[in-house]
């Protein structure tokens, strides 16, 4: 496992919001999108940005509105998140880019690729549970949009600002390799879990979770069923030890659509960019360059 390297913060104005991002390398542009868990930010990818940047990829990760050091937006909708990602590309002068979506950001990555095929060269998904079909168990759907274990943990957190120990507990719940939680990584994550970031987490939680929910109504076709409609190359990586029975559901997805390029990472929970970084880098570079 590589040691995470500190990369200098950069800032750009996107839709009137001061937006923080980190960037390494030159070549094929790839935008890395973090998830919605408490403490998430571009720093989820800082070890990956450095590694991919050294191998001919212009690797870019940024803090979504209300996360990390990026200003918050009044609009918490999933639709705004998609628009913001495209406007971020515009702000950097990128007509096209690959999208790498971790956790909840896999959804907007796929949606943008479907709706704006001229802007997206390829899509790489890391551990997005909501892009997997639900299981039926005793008549009850298991592992749909709600990822119960994580939700219960964060429900407790929403009542009070997390302590350093709380932040460690959240990381341990999402990581197979706990040795990756160095003091530096823990403190960095904690800074994105308190103060304004915590207040924004509470606001998102009250609005309906990831992206404020789908206020426009339920989609006629679940997004996981539309993966085979994508015109761009698609690569999916899931941890075998991820929550909400992700391995079973990813296996079901592969059985239903055998043409999908789907892989499992051994010894890997939800933080795929950390637990499976070597596999991610090994597969991502030729995929993105192709």
């Amino acid at each position: 496992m590589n040691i995470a390297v500190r990369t200098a913060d950069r800032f750009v104005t996107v839709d009137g919001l001061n937006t923080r991002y980190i960037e390494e390398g030159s070549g094929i542009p790839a935008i890395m999108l973090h998830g919605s868990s408490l403490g998430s930010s571009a720093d989820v990818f800082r070890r990956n940005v450095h590694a991919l940047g050294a191998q001919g990829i212009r690797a870019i990760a940024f803090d979504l509105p209300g996360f990390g050091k990026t200003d918050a937006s009044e609009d918490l909708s999933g639709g705004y998140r998609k628009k913001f990602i495209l406007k971020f590309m515009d702000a950097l002068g990128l007509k096209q880019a690959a999208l790498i979506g971790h956790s909840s950001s896999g959804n907007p990555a796929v949606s943008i690729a479907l709706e704006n095929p001229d802007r997206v060269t390829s899509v790489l998904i890391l551990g997005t549970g909501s892009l997997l079909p639900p299981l039926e168990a005793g008549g009850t759907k298991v592992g749909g949009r709600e990822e119960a274990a994580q939700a219960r943990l964060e429900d407790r957190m929403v009542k009070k600002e997390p302590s350093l120990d709380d932040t460690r507990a959240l990381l341990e719940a999402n990581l197979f390799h706990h040795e990756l939680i160095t003091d530096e990584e823990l403190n960095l994550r904690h800074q994105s879990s308190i103060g304004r970031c915590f207040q924004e987490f509470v606001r998102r939680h009250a609005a309906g979770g990831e992206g404020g929910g789908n206020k426009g109504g339920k989609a006629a076709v679940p997004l996981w069923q539309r993966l085979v409609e994508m015109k761009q190359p698609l690569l999916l990586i899931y941890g075998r030890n991820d929550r909400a029975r992700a391995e079973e559901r990813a296996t079901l997805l592969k059985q239903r659509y055998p043409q999908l390029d789907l892989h499992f990472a051994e010894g890997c929970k939800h933080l795929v960019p950390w637990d499976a970084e070597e596999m991610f880098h090994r597969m991502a570079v030729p995929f993105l360059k192709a």
Side-chain angles (χ1 to χ4, degrees):
M1 301 270 179
N2 297 320
I3 297 174
V5 177
R6 292 304 296 265
T7 301
D9 289 347
R10 304 186 186 192
F11 291 88
V12 64
T13 300
V14 181
D15 199 32
L17 304 181
N18 193 35
T19 303
R20 175 251 186 172
Y21 70 102
I22 55 177
E23 177 180 343
E24 292 281 353
S26 60
I28 306 297
I31 297 177
M32 312 170 91
L33 307 167
H34 64 77
S36 299
S37 295
L38 180 60
S40 290
S41 73
D43 292 312
V44 167
F45 293 111
R46 66 190 183 109
R47 68 187 67 231
N48 316 115
V49 164
H50 181 76
L52 296 182
Q55 299 186 67
I57 305 296
R58 183 182 176 189
I60 307 162
F62 73 98
D63 296 343
L64 288 162
F67 291 86
K69 299 175 183 177
T70 292
D71 292 343
S73 168
E74 289 302 313
D75 192 342
L76 297 176
S77 68
Y80 180 74
R81 179 177 292 194
K82 290 189 292 184
K83 291 177 183 177
F84 192 87
I85 293 167
L86 289 170
K87 288 182 178 182
F88 176 78
M89 289 173 58
D90 293 339
L92 266 58
L94 298 174
K95 293 182 178 180
Q96 289 186 318
L99 297 180
I100 300 174
H102 174 240
S103 191
S104 65
S105 278
N107 277 53
V110 168
S111 293
I112 291 170
L114 288 167
E115 297 165 8
N116 303 271
D118 58 319
R119 302 296 305 272
V120 181
T121 56
S122 59
V123 176
L124 202 165
I125 299 299
L126 303 172
T128 300
S130 50
L131 287 177
L132 299 176
L135 299 175
E136 296 288 342
T140 303
K141 286 188 176 181
V142 178
R145 291 181 61 205
E146 295 296 324
E147 295 174 324
Q150 183 75 9
R152 285 196 300 270
L153 188 56
E154 292 195 349
D155 278 343
R156 293 199 300 271
M157 299 274 179
V158 80
K159 297 175 183 176
K160 67 178 181 65
E161 190 173 85
S163 66
L164 196 63
D165 286 341
D166 291 332
T167 299
R168 179 182 289 278
L170 270 174
L171 276 174
E172 289 180 347
N174 286 291
L175 266 177
F176 186 89
H177 294 282
H178 291 180
E179 68 274 13
L180 294 176
I181 309 175
T182 63
D183 289 343
E184 181 185 6
E185 291 285 7
L186 178 60
N187 287 320
L188 193 62
R189 183 84 173 193
H190 189 60
Q191 290 305 309
S192 292
S193 303
I194 59 176
R196 182 186 64 87
C197 292
F198 175 71
Q199 294 167 8
E200 286 302 306
F201 169 72
V202 172
R203 195 163 72 95
R204 289 191 301 272
H205 191 276
E210 297 174 357
N214 182 6
K215 296 179 182 179
K218 200 171 183 179
V221 179
L223 199 54
W224 62 268
Q225 292 183 18
R226 300 193 61 200
L227 294 175
V228 290
E229 298 177 21
M230 292 177 57
K231 304 301 182 184
Q232 306 89 338
L234 172 66
L235 173 64
L236 304 101
I237 302 175
Y238 286 88
R240 284 201 186 276
N241 309 94
D242 203 352
R243 63 202 186 204
R245 299 170 68 180
E247 180 184 8
E248 293 177 66
R249 293 161 58 211
T251 300
L252 184 63
L253 180 68
K254 179 68 173 176
Q255 290 171 348
R256 181 157 180 171
Y257 302 115
Q259 65 269 45
L260 290 177
D261 190 8
L262 189 153
H263 300 263
F264 289 106
E266 305 293 339
C268 177
K269 283 189 175 182
H270 193 60
L271 267 176
V272 181
W274 290 25
D275 270 334
E277 63 171 302
E278 292 177 3
M279 174 184 177
F280 169 35
H281 301 158
R282 184 176 70 252
M283 299 189 73
V285 172
F287 172 77
L288 295 171
K289 288 185 175 181

